[in-house]
Amino acid sequence: MSIKSIIQDMKGEFGSISRRGFDVKFGYGMRSRSHRVVQDSSVPVDVFKQSCWANMPPELLRDVLMRIEASESTWPPRKNVVVCAGVCRNWREIMKEIVKTPEISCKLTFPISLKQPGPRDSLLQCYIKRNRSNQTYYLYLGLNQASNDDGKFLLAARKCRRPTCTDYIISLNCNDVSKGSSTYIGKLRSNFLGTKFTVYDAQPPNAGAKVTKSCSTRLINMKQVSPRVPAGNYPVAHISYELNVLGSRGPRRMHCVMDGIPASSIEPGGVAPTQTEFLHSNLDTFPSLLFFRSKSTRSESFQSGPLSDQKDGMLVLRNKSPRWHEQLQCWCLNFNGRVTVASVKNFQLVASPENAAAGQEHENVILQFGKVGKDVFTVDYQYPISAFQAFAICLSSFDTKIACE
């Protein structure tokens, strides 16, 4: 029996499993392939463990799994890679070594990929769909160049207004966007004016991270109610919007300090921290994915904490200044065709001149966000920030800026 026929038979068996387990009910009451979420590894594969594939010789099994991983490079076919990882411990150990981080592979495969830095030499193309009726935002991985394609669901966020601030709760589950959920992974919090934001991670982004004092009491109470929720809110980014003297006619000015990401990460050979696993509190939700630990040598830890100035050596991002177009009578940025609708929300983030990189490197866009439809926005990001960080930063652009507009 040839390896090609083995792979075909194996995929056929995967198909019968994934058809039963990968359809997730659409958040608006319909069913859609769009909400085949990243964490759909909880597919019932017990029957698969008893098949002939579980007892294949290690050398042949590795070869087959490597070919599957290489051939299924895009979603939805890439779900076969996720199913492989959930078959048994032996298969998991092999998949740990085969599947690389987004930095190397330019692919999002497992939930932890959303917390890992994006590719170094290209922008990972995603988009956000906004549901105005319930103040919810959905992040998708774009499967083609069309803005209305049936993308791969990645993250969801829900806006929660409070007396003195606004929170955007971020979850891996589009049907359970709450802080008490086991799929809660972080939040974005704004001040009353909507000019300053803090991105919080639900777990330590690296070994040196510390929980913020301001939420210690709240976290103790939260832990008593739901012990499965990670006991910590760790700041990973601080975003500020400066006063716009031109009002709504002028572009916003953004300033973003990335806690835990060193300024040297944007230089050739620079390294950013890479999370390798979720906390054990989420094990019941993702039984076959949380084993995944990157073998990459770039997963070194850095000390992280609240930043006061650039002396801490952290990466600082600023929005790329647009140019005034006389013929169009508007501020313009080159989004290379990824943005089609003019909006004050549109922005591109580059490394600030405060960082030590060469001047030319500052033109390298790390994150860009822009409008392409009534409630559709593109999100493109790359190393050294992750999909989670990019999503949170873009959410800040949706919030009303009382003092800036």
Side-chain angles (χ1 to χ4, degrees):
M1 194 176 191
S2 66
I3 292 181
K4 184 176 181 180
S5 61
I6 291 176
I7 294 175
Q8 290 175 346
D9 291 346
M10 189 179 291
K11 288 181 180 179
E13 193 157 354
F14 287 159
S16 63
I17 294 172
S18 59
R19 279 192 296 271
R20 295 194 302 269
F22 270 78
D23 285 331
V24 178
K25 196 165 186 179
F26 192 62
Y28 301 102
M30 301 179 292
R31 296 183 67 84
S32 170
R33 289 180 301 167
S34 301
H35 278 62
R36 287 170 176 167
V37 293
V38 171
Q39 69 268 25
D40 280 340
S41 64
S42 53
V43 177
V45 293
D46 291 340
V47 64
F48 196 79
K49 296 179 183 178
Q50 306 302 323
S51 70
C52 59
W53 311 120
N55 299 315
M56 291 178 64
E59 298 80 6
L60 179 59
L61 176 60
R62 178 180 293 274
D63 190 11
V64 170
L65 294 181
M66 287 181 65
R67 295 192 183 202
I68 291 177
E69 196 279 333
S71 64
E72 311 292 25
S73 59
T74 60
W75 289 91
R78 195 161 177 80
K79 66 180 180 234
N80 291 330
V81 177
V82 179
V83 175
C84 285
V87 171
C88 62
R89 184 182 299 275
N90 184 32
W91 287 44
R92 284 202 296 268
E93 292 301 321
I94 296 176
M95 295 308 292
K96 288 181 189 180
E97 302 175 2
I98 294 176
V99 178
K100 305 301 181 183
T101 62
E103 172 193 354
I104 301 172
S105 66
C106 301
K107 301 182 183 73
L108 297 176
T109 305
F110 301 108
I112 195 61
S113 302
L114 303 175
K115 291 292 193 73
Q116 296 173 337
R120 282 184 174 267
D121 301 320
S122 61
L123 290 167
L124 204 55
Q125 296 184 345
C126 307
Y127 63 92
I128 292 175
K129 283 187 176 180
R130 173 176 59 183
N131 185 343
R132 295 173 181 265
S133 63
N134 59 7
Q135 295 289 287
T136 307
Y137 305 82
Y138 303 95
L139 178 68
Y140 297 87
L141 176 65
L143 301 185
N144 55 53
Q145 292 296 322
S147 61
N148 59 347
D149 69 341
D150 191 16
K152 176 76 174 69
F153 172 78
L154 301 176
L155 292 169
R158 182 170 56 86
K159 185 176 182 178
C160 301
R161 293 187 181 275
R162 312 204 184 277
T164 59
C165 64
T166 300
D167 283 348
Y168 290 82
I169 306 300
I170 303 175
S171 172
L172 290 164
N173 190 340
C174 61
N175 296 316
D176 189 3
V177 188
S178 63
K179 198 169 181 181
S181 169
S182 59
T183 56
Y184 165 76
I185 61 169
K187 70 178 181 181
L188 172 73
R189 168 164 289 185
S190 76
N191 64 356
F192 177 75
L193 296 177
T195 56
K196 296 185 182 298
F197 298 79
T198 302
V199 181
Y200 293 97
D201 198 328
Q203 69 177 51
N206 53 65
K210 297 181 180 180
V211 66
T212 54
K213 294 181 180 180
S214 60
C215 56
S216 300
T217 304
R218 181 171 64 257
L219 289 169
I220 292 175
N221 296 332
M222 181 178 66
K223 189 176 180 181
Q224 292 172 349
V225 175
S226 180
R228 297 175 61 188
V229 177
N233 272 334
Y234 301 86
V236 294
H238 301 277
I239 309 158
S240 61
Y241 289 82
E242 298 179 17
L243 178 64
N244 183 0
V245 296
L246 295 178
S248 59
R249 294 182 294 107
R252 293 171 174 173
R253 299 180 61 185
M254 295 177 62
H255 188 265
C256 186
V257 180
M258 307 301 298
D259 288 25
I261 300 182
S264 60
S265 63
I266 60 174
E267 301 175 1
V271 178
T274 301
Q275 294 188 34
T276 57
E277 62 181 349
F278 286 104
L279 293 178
H280 295 292
S281 59
N282 298 85
L283 284 176
D284 293 339
T285 308
F286 314 120
S288 61
L289 290 191
L290 301 185
F291 65 83
F292 180 74
R293 300 189 182 203
S294 170
K295 298 291 184 180
S296 172
T297 57
R298 302 184 184 277
S299 57
E300 303 169 88
S301 296
F302 293 87
Q303 294 294 321
S304 175
L307 300 180
S308 56
D309 52 46
Q310 185 57 26
K311 291 187 292 185
D312 295 293
M314 294 296 104
L315 177 65
V316 178
L317 305 176
R318 62 167 176 82
N319 66 300
K320 191 174 182 179
S321 300
R323 296 180 179 179
W324 179 256
H325 197 291
E326 287 294 340
Q327 293 180 340
L328 298 178
Q329 289 293 297
C330 66
W331 297 94
C332 294
L333 282 170
N334 182 13
F335 288 92
N336 296 308
R338 290 285 290 163
V339 176
T340 58
V341 180
S343 173
V344 70
K345 296 180 176 63
N346 300 348
F347 67 80
Q348 291 179 324
L349 291 185
V350 297
S352 171
E354 301 172 43
N355 296 134
Q360 188 174 359
E361 291 294 324
H362 293 156
E363 296 303 312
N364 187 34
V365 175
I366 295 175
L367 170 64
Q368 67 178 21
F369 171 80
K371 192 172 185 178
V372 293
K374 182 179 180 181
D375 290 302
V376 183
F377 303 80
T378 55
V379 178
D380 303 336
Y381 75 97
Q382 67 173 324
Y383 197 89
I385 67 173
S386 65
F388 165 72
Q389 293 167 335
F391 185 40
I393 293 173
C394 292
L395 288 174
S396 71
S397 188
F398 287 105
D399 205 55
T400 303
K401 314 290 185 292
I402 297 176
C404 297
E405 299 177 356

